[in-house]
Amino acid sequence: QAQVTDSGGGSVQAGGSLTLSCQATSNSYFGNCLGWFRQAPGRERENVAFLYTSGGSIEYADSVKDRFTISRDNGQRTVSLRMTDLKPEDSAMYYCASVVRTWGNCRGLRASDVRDWGQGTRVTVSS
């Protein structure tokens, strides 16, 4: 059974919007940091946005601040990423990720910190 399942990617024109969703099992959701990394061809996996599912810590990459909004629905064990004013450089595979952080700080998470990965969902932004 997949621990985290991501969905919602697609193709849009620059300036458009998309919403990604990530549903996690109880073990991967509660008391963890949940969010997204992205990876474009030839580039390293990049931290995009994370939040602490028990509340408090919300972190964004500088490149997406003021354009992306991450939110949670604890009842559905789901985290969503609303992406607006999309740019061609946002094109990538987006991977939902769960990181164990019992002290509730989601700042500076790296790919090596991730315990559970989603299968990825592709976002393509055309100019």
Side-chain angles (χ1 to χ4, degrees):
Q1 178 188 4
Q3 301 301 307
V4 292
T5 303
D6 42 28
S7 61
S11 297
V12 296
Q13 291 190 326
S17 302
L18 285 172
T19 299
L20 307 183
S21 293
C22 175
Q23 187 170 42
T25 62
S26 294
N27 191 48
S28 293
Y29 187 88
F30 294 106
N32 291 343
C33 292
L34 202 61
W36 277 269
F37 282 80
R38 68 185 180 187
Q39 189 167 22
R43 302 191 65 177
E44 292 188 356
R45 203 162 285 197
E46 172 191 22
N47 183 326
V48 178
F50 274 83
L51 56 73
Y52 189 60
T53 57
S54 295
S57 181
I58 297 178
E59 305 291 336
Y60 295 97
D62 288 342
S63 59
V64 306
K65 277 180 183 175
D66 300 325
R67 298 188 298 122
F68 291 11
T69 303
I70 190 170
S71 60
R72 59 190 170 94
D73 181 339
N74 288 358
Q76 297 295 319
R77 301 193 312 275
T78 299
V79 172
S80 297
L81 185 69
R82 177 65 175 167
M83 307 184 293
T84 64
D85 190 22
L86 283 161
K87 304 176 180 181
E89 52 263 43
D90 293 317
S91 297
M93 282 292 288
Y94 283 69
Y95 297 91
C96 183
S98 175
V99 177
V100 177
R101 277 292 184 272
T102 54
W103 56 92
N105 186 345
C106 301
R107 183 172 297 174
L109 298 178
R110 301 166 296 180
S112 58
D113 295 322
V114 175
R115 184 183 66 182
D116 300 307
W117 289 101
Q119 76 280 6
T121 185
R122 184 172 299 279
V123 172
T124 303
V125 184
S126 57
S127 57

